Amino acid sequence: MASDTTVPSASEMKPAGAQALREARSDAGGPPVKRYTLRDTLIDAVGAALLTGVLGFFFLALRTEIAPGGLDITTRWVLWFTAVAIVFVGRLLLNLFVFRTERPITRRLRRSSGGKVAVRPGWVSRAIAIALFAIAAFLPFLIMAIFPGQQRQLIDLSILILTYVMLGWGLNIVVGLAGLLDLGYVAFYAVGAYSFALLSTHFEFIGFWTALPLAGMLAAFWGLALGFPVLRLRGDYLAIVTLAFGEIIRVVLLNWYEVTGGPNGISGVPKPTFFGYEFTRGEDGASALLGLEYSTIHRFIYLYYIIFLLALLTNFVTMRLRKLPVGRAWEALREDEIACRSLGINTTNTKLTAFSIGAMFGGFAGSFFATRQGFISPESFTFLESAIILAIVVLGGLGSQIGVVVASVVMIGGIELLRNVGFLGNLLPGFDPVQYRMLIFGLAMVAIMVWKPRGLVTTRTPSAVLKEQKKIGADMVSQGEGH
Amino acid sequence: MSIAAEPRVPVAGTSVHRWETDPVLTVEHLTMRFGGLVAVGDLSFSVGRGDITALIGPNGAGKTTVFNCVTGFYKPTEGRIVMRHGAGAKANLVEKVTGSSARYETDKGSGVFLLERMPDFEISKKAKVARTFQNIRLFGGMTLLENLLVAQHNPLTVASGFTFAGILGLSSYRKAHREAVEKAVYWLERVGLVDRADDPAGDLPYGDQRRLEIARAMCTDPQLLCLDEPAAGLNPRESTELNQFLQFIREQGTSVLLIEHDMGVVMEISDHVVVLDYGVKISDGDSGFVKNDPKVIAAYLGVDDEAEIDVPEVRAEVTAARHEHEHQADPQAARDSN
Amino acid sequence: MEYFLQQLINGLTLGSIYGLIAIGYTMVYGIIGMINFAHGDIFMIGAFIALATFLILTSVLGFAFLPLVLLIVLIVSMLFTAAWGWTVERIAYRPLRGSFRLAPLITAIGMSIVLQNFVQISQGARVKPLPPQIQGGITLMQGDTETGAILVQLSYMQIIIILTTLVLMAGFTLLISRTSLGRSQRACEQDRKMASLLGVNVDRTISLTFVMGAALASVAGLMFLLLYGVIDFYIGFLAGVKAFTAAVLGGIGSLPGAMLGGILIGLIEVFWSGYFSVEYKDVAAFSILAIVLIFLPSGLLGKPEVEKV
C-alpha cells in the first residue's frame, strides 16, 4: 500500500503540522544575525531606488495622453525623481533603524504583538466585547452629542461599517469556521438585494420586513444550489468556481434588462417602515408617531439600529452554532476532512449548511443594502466587493468575531475617513486623497498581512470547556482544505 | 522447538475459532487495483466478534489498503465486505441483502451491512466501524474535549433537533450535551488525558495523540475498531499500556482489527492473526500458528536472512515456502505500487 | 461553414493570449501553490509598458520600420514587466513563504488592487486607443450567403500572434525540460524543502518563475494592445480571471494544459459570441469551467489527485 512507505510530506504529518509550520517559519524568518556595514546598507538602498526608477519609468516619468490625432506622450521627470529619492531615503532609514540593525526601534512593538500570545483571562475579552457592544448600542447618540455637525456622514459611515461587519460575520462561517474558500460571496449579497428590490417593486404589499426573510431564504437556496455540485471540489478549485459564480451572477444582472434593468439597476426601492409608518414629514410619519419633531436624521438612526440588530442576530446565531454539533463539525472539517468522515460526519451536508447559512446572512445584508440605498445596480456587486469582505475576514483573523469588527473599522472606516481629510489636498497641490483610497486600501491589505499573516486576532476560543477555558494559539489551528 | 507439534491447517476442527462461527466482519474475495497495480488480490478473511484480530505483513503488503476498503475510503474493485451486528454469521440475511439493491438491513440491534456499497461516513455512522490513521489525524486546533465531542456528532445532531432546537437553547439538547461531555471525560480518563481536556490536541506528545485518536474513535460507539499501526512510535512502556487499553476495549464488547508491525504487540494480545504479503494472504490463524508458519518467516525475514536461521528444519521449510510463495504472487507488480 | 472557420481563427488568436497569461498562473501555482491574483494586472502593466514604448519609438524617436519597432517593444516590455513581476513577489509573497495558505492570497488580491489603482492614478482612468498598426491579411475562402459574401480572413496580426505564441511555447517547453533552471523548478514543484536541502536556491527559483510568468504576460499584453487597439487599467481583471480559468481547465500545474485551456476558453468565448450572444460570453466560459471541474476535478491534462488517507 502506497502510504505505508512513502515519506510523509509536511502536510501529511498532521500532528506535527503545527510544529512543522513553526519550524518552517523560523527557517524562513531567521537568517543568521549578520552585521551590516554602512556600505551594504547604502548599496541596498541604491538598489531599491534603482528598482523604483525602472518600475516607475513607464508610469511616473511617462504618461500617455489622448491628444488630437492619437496618443501623445508627456514626461514628468520631477515626479519620477521624487519617487526614486523617497524610496532611497525611506529604504535607507528603514535599513538603519529597523531591518539591518541589532536594535530595531520596532522591537518593543514586535515583542508585544508578534511573540507568543499571552493567555488573557476570559473576562478581559468578555469585557472588551461588552464595551464594544455598549458603544455600538449608543453610537448614534454618541455621534450626535460629540459631532453634531457631521452626524449624518458619521452615522452613515457607521451603518456602512456595520454592513461590512455583518457580511464579514456571514462569510466567517464559510471561510473562518468551515474552512471553505469562497471568492464569490458577493453573489449572495446581490441575490438578497435584488430579491428585495424586485419583490418590493412588483408587489405593493411587500415591505422591508416581509422581504427580509424571503431574501435570506432565496440567498440560502442559491447557496445550496451552487454548493451542491461544487462543494466536492477542493481548496482553490472551490475558490475559482465561487469566483466564477459571482461573476456569472453579475453578468446576468447586467444583461437581463427585462427583469433587472441591466446597468441602470432598480430604483425606488422602498425605505424600511417603523411598524408600518414611514419616516416622512407630517402627521402619519414615524417621527410624529414617536412624538418627535421631524428630522431626516431619524431615518438614519433607524437604519443604524436595523443593521445593528441584523448584525447582532448574525453574531448570536454564529456563536450558538459554534457550540452545536453542526458548528463543531464545521471546525473539524476545517481541521481534517478525512478524519471527519471516519467519525461518521456527512461532510457534504456539513459544507452545504455552512455555505447556505453564510449565504443567508449575505442575503439579509443585501436586502438591507437595497433598502438603505433605495437604488441598486450591478456596479455594487463586483469581485472587489467579495475581495474586501474576504480581506476583512482574513485580516481580522479567521474565525474570530471580534477580529471582523476590528478589521471592518480599520479598513472601511479608515478608507472612508480619507474622504474627509481635505486638508491634505491643501497641503500638497493636486493631491486628492479620495483618488488614492483604493491604492491605500490595497497597500494596507498587503502590509497588514505581511505584518500579521494570521490576522489581527489570532486566538481561537474552544467551543466546549471542561474546567478552564484556554485560548488556542493560531499556529495550532488549520485553515482548511488540507493545509 | 515445537513447530512440528502445531496444527498445519487451522481449519481442522481441533479447535473452534470465533472468527468462523461468529464473525463480526468478513472480507470476501477483496481485490483492489490502482490502474494496473494489484494492491490487494482476492483476499478473504474474517474478524471474530470480541476478538482482537491483527493484520500483519511487510511494508507494502496492502494492509492499509484493506483498511481503506473496509472503512469506505476506497471503493474496492471487486469483493464483498460484510459487517454484522448481533451474534451469528447470518448467512441468509447476507445473501438477501446482497441480492437486493440495499446497502444494509437492520432489525432491533442486529443487522447486516455491505460496506463496499456504503459511503465512508455511513460506515462509521450506521455500520459502527471506527478507525484510526497511520499518520494521526486529530483536529489539532481543537481541544481534546472538542475532539471527542465531534466524534459524537450524529447522536448530538439528533439531540439538537437537527440544530433548530439547539439554536433555541432547549433543555433537551443541554442534557444531551452534558451526557456527551461525560462520555468524553470517561474516555479521557481511560487514556489518562483528562487533565489536558482543555488543551489543543496538536499540543500533545506523539504517544498521547495516538491514545487520544483511539479514544475519539471509541466515542462513536463502534462495534468494530480498526487501528492502523497503533503502536508505531511508542516506547515500550507506552506499548504495554496500549495493550492493556486494547484488552479493555475488547472487554467493553468492541471487536478490534489492527495493523501492526510490532510483533510483541501482535503476538501478545491477538486472538487471530492474518498475514498479508504483496496483497495476498499467506497465513491465517491464531498467533501460535502464525508465529511458526514458515511462509510467514520467509516473508518477514526475506531472502538474505535465510542463512541466519539456525534451526536446520526451519531453514529448509522456509526455503521451500519462499519458492512456493514467489510463484504465487507477482512481486514486481506489488513492489511498483510503492 | 465560412463563418465557423472565421470564428475558429478568431478563437485561436484570443486563446493564444489567454494561454500566455495562463502559463504564468499555472507555473506559480505549481511551484508555490497559490493563486497569483495580481498576475492579470501584470498583464495589464505589460500592455501599458508596450504602449508607452511603442509611442516613444514611433512618435518621439521616429522609427518607421514596423517589425523592428515591434521587436524592440517586445523586448523592452518583457524586461520591464519582468521587473514588476519580481518586485511583486519580493514585496508581497516572499515574506509570507511558509506561512498560512490564505495570507498570500490576500496579499495577492491587495497587490492586484494596488497595481490597478497605481496605473489608474498615474496614467489616468480613460481608455488608451492605439490605431491598428498591422493591417491586411490572407483571404482563405470566400462563400456566398443570402446576405452577401463572407470572407474567411487570416489577418497578418493573427498570424503574428499565433506564431509568436507557438515559438514562445516551444522555447519555454525546452527551457523547462532541458535547462538546470527548469530542473530546479520542477524539483521545487515536487518538494520545496527537499530541493533546498539538495542545494537548489529555492528563493531564486521562485523569483525566476515570477519573472518568466511576467515576461510571458507582457507578450500577451502587447498582443492584446495590437489586436484590440484599446487598453485601460481594468483589462487585467477579466483577462486574469479567464486565464486562471484556462489554467484550471487545462489542469493546473501543467504547461501544455495551460495553453490548451487558454485556447479552449478563447474558442468558447468566440463561438458563444458568434452563435448565441455576446453579452453572455463570460457566463459561457465560467459555466464550462464549473462543469469541467465538477466532472473532471483535475482539469483536462492535470494529474488526478489520489486522496491520501
Side-chain angles (χ1 to χ4, degrees), chain A residues 1 4-5 14-15 320 323-325 335-336 341-346 460 463 466-468 470 472 476, chain B residues 59-60 64-65 73 120-121 124 134 136-137 139-141 146 153-154 163 167 173 198-199 203 209 338:
Chain A
M1 168 50 221
D4 270 358
T5 46
K14 192 64 198 181
R320 262 285 157 82
K323 293 186 196 308
L324 288 175
E335 297 283 330
D336 193 325
R341 287 195 258 145
S342 84
L343 296 173
I345 296 174
N346 185 338
R460 175 182 175 271
S463 67
L466 188 62
K467 292 194 193 85
E468 168 201 8
K470 298 175 188 169
I472 297 172
M476 289 285 157
Chain B
N59 277 334
T64 301
T65 307
F73 283 90
D120 43 21
F121 74 91
S124 167
Q134 197 175 2
I136 306 172
R137 287 183 175 274
F139 307 120
E146 285 180 297
H153 176 81
N154 289 317
T163 306
I167 287 194
Y173 172 67
D198 292 320
D199 288 329
D203 250 356
Q209 293 200 357
N338 288 325

Side-chain angles (χ1 to χ4, degrees), chain A residues 62 64 71 76 236 240 341, chain C residues 29 122-123 128-129 244 307:
Chain A
L62 301 175
T64 45
L71 284 168
R76 297 179 295 194
D236 299 306
I240 196 75
R341 287 195 258 145
Chain C
Y29 193 92
S122 65
Q123 297 294 313
K128 313 276 178 201
F244 186 73
E307 186 174 59

Side-chain angles (χ1 to χ4, degrees), chain C residues 90-107:
Chain C
R90 183 68 191 77
I91 292 177
Y93 308 146
R94 195 184 294 180
L96 293 171
R97 193 137 318 142
S99 180
F100 306 98
R101 179 178 70 111
L102 284 177
L105 182 77
I106 297 296
T107 52

Side-chain angles (χ1 to χ4, degrees), chain B residues 224-290:
Chain B
L224 174 66
L225 176 66
C226 300
L227 303 171
D228 199 344
E229 300 204 19
L234 300 190
N235 64 34
R237 189 179 55 79
E238 287 173 326
S239 261
T240 316
E241 282 172 9
L242 176 75
N243 282 359
Q244 288 162 359
F245 185 47
L246 293 185
Q247 300 278 13
F248 172 77
I249 288 173
R250 190 240 303 257
E251 282 154 24
Q252 301 279 301
T254 301
S255 318
V256 178
L257 173 65
L258 63 120
I259 289 177
E260 196 43 81
H261 274 305
D262 185 337
M263 283 301 148
V265 176
V266 171
M267 296 307 167
E268 196 178 312
I269 62 168
S270 303
D271 305 296
H272 177 195
V273 180
V274 176
V275 190
L276 289 191
D277 196 13
Y278 296 120
V280 177
K281 182 166 87 173
I282 57 171
S283 186
D284 186 344
D286 57 32
S287 57
F289 167 74
V290 165

Side-chain angles (χ1 to χ4, degrees), chain C residues 162-177:
Chain C
I162 293 172
L163 272 185
T164 316
T165 308
L166 282 178
V167 169
L168 279 173
M169 266 311 286
F172 210 71
T173 312
L174 281 180
L175 188 74
I176 297 292
S177 59

Side-chain angles (χ1 to χ4, degrees), chain B residues 298-319:
Chain B
Y300 261 83
L301 297 185
V303 181
D304 296 334
D305 297 346
E306 204 179 296
E308 289 165 23
I309 304 174
D310 45 8
V311 184
E313 318 81 289
V314 176
R315 187 163 55 211
E317 283 190 70
V318 164
T319 314

